């Protein structure tokens, strides 16, 4: 089987100063965040990923959320231009980490793009138009992927940070979705599972190694996943959730070339 690489980055000591868009700021326990992040990495390793762990960036509060700094397909790595200006410096070290693996392309001003807004299933790609990613960023990504036969479409999202706050892959062709934040109509041909009404943040799930890494905070939605026959690995990410993060955002997962 093709080796899966997962790039992660240690929690920044400045994480308490993170960006917040829809969540209220509450006290964040950095020591506990580190423990939770290590357990998250251990879960990815158990599911077959080789972890490439980057050192913490003390000056960049949100730098643990490596997903936002790049979009990696089998062919290229698009280094993003994050929507939050405080996050733009995160991309330099991610570009350096991805350079051995992929040809790099760069999203440029006035384009903005956060990886959390990019959902990929096979050769289909959806780009959320959110407070962080704009049409220009989406079309630059589509242009970079044009030679490789992807179908790229934009999707408006409302009420949440990113597209993958509202919908994420939980099976070969299944989406876990909060229909209040994104419309199902954009995802023709897919099967849907809905988040439990009490758990609006429950759509962010990480599909890897044929299983789903899923936050312990969303027990009701978790039951729905298990009832649908999905294997779930629960992780407690309470401190990451306080920074408006979830399980997809703490890693960049891609295939290593064979051989
Ligand atoms: C931010 O607002 O940018 C960070 N505090 C959280 C980013 C989470 N990223 C993600 O879900 N892809």
């Amino acid at each position: 089987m093709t080796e899966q690489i997962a790039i992660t980055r240690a929690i920044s000591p400045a994480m308490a100063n993170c960006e917040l868009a829809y969540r209220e700021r509450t006290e964040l326990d950095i020591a506990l965040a580190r423990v939770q992040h290590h357990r998250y990495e251990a879960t990815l390793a158990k599911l077959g990923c080789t972890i490439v762990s980057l050192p913490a960036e003390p000056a960049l509060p949100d730098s643990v959320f490596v997903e936002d700094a790049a979009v990696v397909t089998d062919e290229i790595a698009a280094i993003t231009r994050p929507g939050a200006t405080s996050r733009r410096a995160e991309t330099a070290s991610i570009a350096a980490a991805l350079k051995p693996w992929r040809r790099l392309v760069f999203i440029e001003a006035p384009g903005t793009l956060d990886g959390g807004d990019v959902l990929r299933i096979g050769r289909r790609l959806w780009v959320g138009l959110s407070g962080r990613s704009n049409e220009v960023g989406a079309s630059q990504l589509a242009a970079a992927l044009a030679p490789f036969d992807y179908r790229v479409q934009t999707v408006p999202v409302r009420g949440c940070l990113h597209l993958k706050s509202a919908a994420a892959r939980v099976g070969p062709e299944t989406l876990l979705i909060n229909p209040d934040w994104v419309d199902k109509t954009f995802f023709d041909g897919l099967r849907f599972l809905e988040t439990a009404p009490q758990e609006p943040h429950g759509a962010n799930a990480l599909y890897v190694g044929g299983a789903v890494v899923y936050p312990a905070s969303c027990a009701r939605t978790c039951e729905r996943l298990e009832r649908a026959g999905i294997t779930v690995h629960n992780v407690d990410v309470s401190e990451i959730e306080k920074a408006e993060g979830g399980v997809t955002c703490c890693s960049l997962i891609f295939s290593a070339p064979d051989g």
Side-chain angles (χ1 to χ4, degrees):
M1 220 172 88
T2 313
E3 183 189 7
Q4 295 281 104
I5 308 289
I7 294 182
T8 61
R9 170 146 52 201
I11 300 273
S12 170
M15 193 181 178
N17 300 323
C18 63
E19 294 283 339
L20 290 175
Y22 291 90
R23 287 202 183 242
E24 302 249 312
R25 198 169 296 277
T26 53
E27 201 174 330
L28 206 150
D29 180 339
I30 294 284
L32 179 56
R34 289 205 174 99
V35 171
Q36 293 178 344
H37 188 252
H38 285 139
R39 291 193 184 131
Y40 170 84
E41 289 176 321
T43 305
L44 294 188
K46 195 164 73 183
L47 290 169
C49 295
T50 300
I51 309 293
V52 176
S53 175
L54 305 181
E57 291 269 13
L60 299 173
D62 281 305
S63 50
V64 66
F65 302 125
V66 291
E67 168 180 62
D68 293 321
V71 176
V72 187
T73 67
D74 287 346
E75 302 84 4
I76 61 163
I79 306 301
T80 64
R81 183 168 180 270
T85 46
S86 73
R87 300 200 57 194
R88 300 227 169 114
E90 293 175 27
T91 58
S93 52
I94 295 296
L98 286 168
K99 200 167 188 297
W101 302 100
R102 294 289 190 275
R103 181 169 69 81
L104 304 184
V105 299
F106 293 86
I107 303 299
E108 286 167 4
T112 62
L113 187 71
D114 279 15
D117 276 315
V118 182
L119 170 66
R120 180 162 73 90
I121 298 185
R123 304 203 83 76
R124 293 180 73 186
L125 227 118
W126 292 264
V127 183
L129 298 177
S130 67
R132 298 290 176 84
S133 302
N134 65 18
E135 289 272 8
V136 181
S139 46
Q140 288 179 17
L141 180 66
L145 289 171
F148 308 113
D149 193 29
Y150 283 89
R151 181 171 152 204
V152 182
Q153 69 188 99
T154 54
V155 185
V157 296
R158 54 185 179 265
C160 61
L161 183 59
H162 289 132
L163 172 59
K164 277 187 283 190
S165 318
R169 187 183 189 184
V170 290
E173 301 215 317
T174 306
L175 267 195
L176 178 61
I177 191 165
N178 174 346
D180 291 337
W181 289 349
V182 68
D183 291 337
K184 286 181 182 172
T185 48
F186 291 99
F187 306 99
D188 55 288
L190 297 182
R191 294 178 52 226
F192 299 101
L193 288 171
E194 289 191 12
T195 51
Q198 311 88 330
E199 295 171 351
H201 293 281
N204 189 256
L206 177 60
Y207 180 61
V208 58
V212 167
V213 179
Y214 194 71
S217 59
C218 296
R220 291 191 174 85
T221 306
C222 185
E223 273 173 34
R224 293 183 177 198
L225 293 172
E226 289 178 326
R227 254 186 275 130
I230 293 167
T231 304
V232 180
H233 295 259
N234 274 128
V235 284
D236 186 350
V237 285
S238 63
E239 303 314 289
I240 284 160
E241 288 168 338
K242 289 178 187 170
E244 210 160 348
V247 285
T248 62
C249 56
C250 295
S251 54
L252 267 169
I253 300 180
F254 56 90
S255 303
D258 289 323

